[in-house]
Amino acid sequence: MSRRRLPPLSALRAFEAAARHESAKQAAEELSVTATAISHQIRALEESLGVALFVRKPRQLELTMAGRELQQVLESAFDSIGAAVERLSATPSRQAITLSTTPAVAVRWLLSWVCMLRDSHPNIDLRIHASHEPVALDGVTADIAIRYGDGRWPGLVAEKLFDNTFIPACSPLLGLHDAADLPGHSLIHFRNQAAISSPLDWAVWQKKAQIPGLDVSAGLVFSDETHAVSAAVGAQGVALMSRQLIDDELREGRLVQPFGPELEGKPFFLVYPESRRNDPTILAVREWILTVPGGLCSM
């Protein structure tokens, strides 16, 4: 391949800028050099090419026919070079967002579908803050949350995701069908001291069920809902759990609801600041949560 015969790039840049502005002074300001330097570069280019590129007038540079031809070629070439450099050097800006929710919602639902958010919005870095305590959605601790409650949080948008119905649940291996037989089995409790408002528990359930001889203070106690579910699946007793959070186990028959009554807990809401209602990153995470297939939002 033969080598290209090209004048120095600095001379071509000086000429193109002077031709565009029709002024050596303005070209010098654009390229951060002196007007004298621009004039020297143009002179050297003309000598190299053997043609005049400008007609010099007292306060203006006027292109010759040869100069106009070269100016059109260089303008197109520099535009193409600039566009290519911008495409190659531009790195997509990454956006980090922190979602706060309970450990059970994070583990038993969201984590299985993070890939959907990553595929649709690869520039978003999702951070999950798992806690039973509602945290500040201040853009530092968290940005968006899934909370259970009454949906009334000042300054926040709250969109209902799903109900929170608590039911007795156990392994079918226990062979439990009648509530009257419950005192013969261990109760599985979930208690988290850090939570500001605790989920419904066996004491509340017993007030409604009135099962003779049931000691609601006895049994296995877990500080993590997922551990309580695992114990129930392992036939270690009967748990009072959110039906929405154990839907997979119920559908697959690893857990059954042997009897009632059922207790209606506070629903779960998607929550984010009113001031960030139109924030693109918030909207992207919201869209992901609302479209998770087979998830809690469809119930």
Side-chain angles (χ1 to χ4, degrees):
M1 182 180 295
S2 60
R3 296 179 60 184
R4 294 186 179 89
R5 179 177 174 272
L6 296 175
L9 178 60
S10 58
L12 294 175
R13 290 188 66 203
F15 164 75
E16 191 278 333
R20 187 161 22 88
H21 292 292
E22 297 183 342
S23 166
K25 181 180 179 181
Q26 292 182 41
E29 292 175 355
E30 177 182 321
L31 299 179
S32 300
V33 296
T34 64
T36 300
I38 294 292
S39 297
H40 283 319
Q41 293 277 15
I42 293 173
R43 291 285 187 189
L45 181 60
E46 288 178 322
E47 291 175 4
S48 172
L49 296 176
V51 295
L53 299 174
F54 288 108
V55 176
R56 274 90 175 161
K57 295 187 176 181
R59 295 186 178 180
Q60 183 182 8
L61 293 176
E62 183 177 311
L63 286 166
T64 63
M65 290 185 62
R68 188 166 300 284
E69 181 180 352
L70 181 60
Q71 188 266 341
Q72 291 174 350
V73 172
L74 289 179
E75 183 178 19
S76 176
F78 286 155
D79 286 345
S80 297
I81 292 171
V85 169
E86 186 173 350
R87 285 196 307 272
L88 293 173
S89 61
T91 55
S93 59
R94 305 198 65 80
Q95 296 291 327
I97 185 168
T98 299
L99 168 66
S100 177
T101 188
T102 67
V105 169
V107 172
R108 301 186 60 74
W109 180 41
L110 289 181
L111 293 184
S112 298
W113 301 105
V114 169
C115 56
M116 292 178 57
L117 177 64
R118 186 169 57 246
D119 290 344
S120 59
H121 298 280
N123 298 326
I124 293 179
D125 293 326
L126 180 66
R127 300 168 182 171
I128 295 181
H129 177 277
S131 172
H132 287 282
E133 293 187 71
V135 299
L137 302 184
D138 54 7
V140 178
T141 306
D143 302 279
I144 188 169
I146 296 177
R147 294 180 179 174
Y148 56 88
D150 57 13
R152 295 193 295 269
W153 292 284
L156 301 178
V157 177
E159 300 181 72
K160 184 179 176 181
L161 292 178
F162 55 93
D163 291 319
N164 199 19
T165 305
F166 285 78
I167 62 171
C170 64
S171 168
L173 297 177
L174 294 184
L176 185 60
H177 303 287
D178 192 331
D181 296 327
L182 183 57
H185 296 268
S186 293
L187 299 183
I188 297 174
H189 306 265
F190 161 61
R191 295 176 187 154
N192 191 290
Q193 301 301 321
I196 292 179
S197 59
S198 299
L200 299 176
D201 57 19
W202 280 114
V204 177
W205 185 87
Q206 171 65 349
K207 289 180 180 179
K208 187 173 183 179
Q210 294 295 308
I211 303 300
L214 181 62
D215 184 357
V216 295
S217 64
L220 295 168
V221 180
F222 295 93
S223 62
D224 188 303
E225 287 171 280
T226 58
H227 296 165
V229 173
S230 296
V233 171
Q236 300 303 308
V238 185
L240 186 67
M241 300 297 301
S242 169
R243 181 165 56 202
Q244 286 73 16
L245 290 180
I246 57 172
D247 180 67
D248 285 346
E249 287 78 8
L250 292 172
R251 185 171 57 250
E252 295 166 4
R254 288 180 287 147
L255 288 177
V256 295
Q257 178 185 352
F259 42 72
E262 300 179 355
L263 302 176
E264 288 301 322
K266 294 179 179 179
F268 278 85
F269 292 84
L270 179 64
V271 182
Y272 49 92
E274 174 70 40
S275 60
R276 298 183 65 184
R277 182 187 287 270
N278 297 317
D279 185 304
T281 309
I282 293 285
L283 292 177
V285 174
R286 174 187 179 275
E287 177 187 15
W288 164 58
I289 291 173
L290 294 180
T291 56
V292 167
L296 304 175
C297 300
S298 64
M299 298 182 184

